[in-house]
């Protein structure tokens, strides 16, 4: 099922590298991160190799989307966290370290010190409309 022999997540999915599995089915695998940001930090991956979100077949993306609410709820309950961050980094510039699609489920507690800061910017209405028009045009069949 896996694709890239040099991909650590493909090797984990194939069983060549051990992991602490929390969920698996024919298409997906979820396991605890070996370098967690918080206890219970879980990764959800497709078993098949896809480097980035844009490469995922729609059915597989839908399957991941269907599992995420159940998995994040289970993680949150298991570690009794107040909330979770659900993050997907797509591309090296966005912080993706392993080039295999994966979603982080990171349990959060009040005052845990993890933080998550977005440095927002201003965007003129005209520029926002230009961007919106371009996105819409790209999405047109």
């Amino acid at each position: 099922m896996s694709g890239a022999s040099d991909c650590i997540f493909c090797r984990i999915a194939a069983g060549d590298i051990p992991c602490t599995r929390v969920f698996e089915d024919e298409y997906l695998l979820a396991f605890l991160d070996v370098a967690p940001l918080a206890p219970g930090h879980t990764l959800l991956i497709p078993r098949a190799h896809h480097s980035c979100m844009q490469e995922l077949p729609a059915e597989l993306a839908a399957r991941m989307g269907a599992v995420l609410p159940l998995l994040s709820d289970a993680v949150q309950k298991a570690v009794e966290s107040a909330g979770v961050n659900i993050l997907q980094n797509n591309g090296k510039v966005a912080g993706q370290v392993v080039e295999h699609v994966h979603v982080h489920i990171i349990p959060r507690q009040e005052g845990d010190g993890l933080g998550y800061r977005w440095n927002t910017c201003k965007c003129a209405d005209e520029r926002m409309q230009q961007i919106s028009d371009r996105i819409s045009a790209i999405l047109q069949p």
Side-chain angles (χ1 to χ4, degrees), residues 36-54:
L37 294 175
H41 182 165
T42 300
L43 301 175
L44 175 64
I45 66 168
R47 289 182 178 276
H49 184 81
H50 299 281
S51 296
C52 61
M53 189 62 74
Q54 294 93 316

Side-chain angles (χ1 to χ4, degrees), residues 53-67:
M53 189 62 74
Q54 294 93 316
E55 291 181 3
L56 277 183
E59 301 81 22
L60 187 51
R63 178 70 184 144
M64 288 182 81
V67 168

Side-chain angles (χ1 to χ4, degrees), residues 95-112:
Q96 184 179 9
V97 176
V98 178
E99 291 184 15
H100 183 120
V101 172
H102 57 287
V103 178
H104 296 262
I105 300 168
I106 306 165
R108 299 298 306 271
Q109 299 291 353
E110 191 70 41
D112 61 17

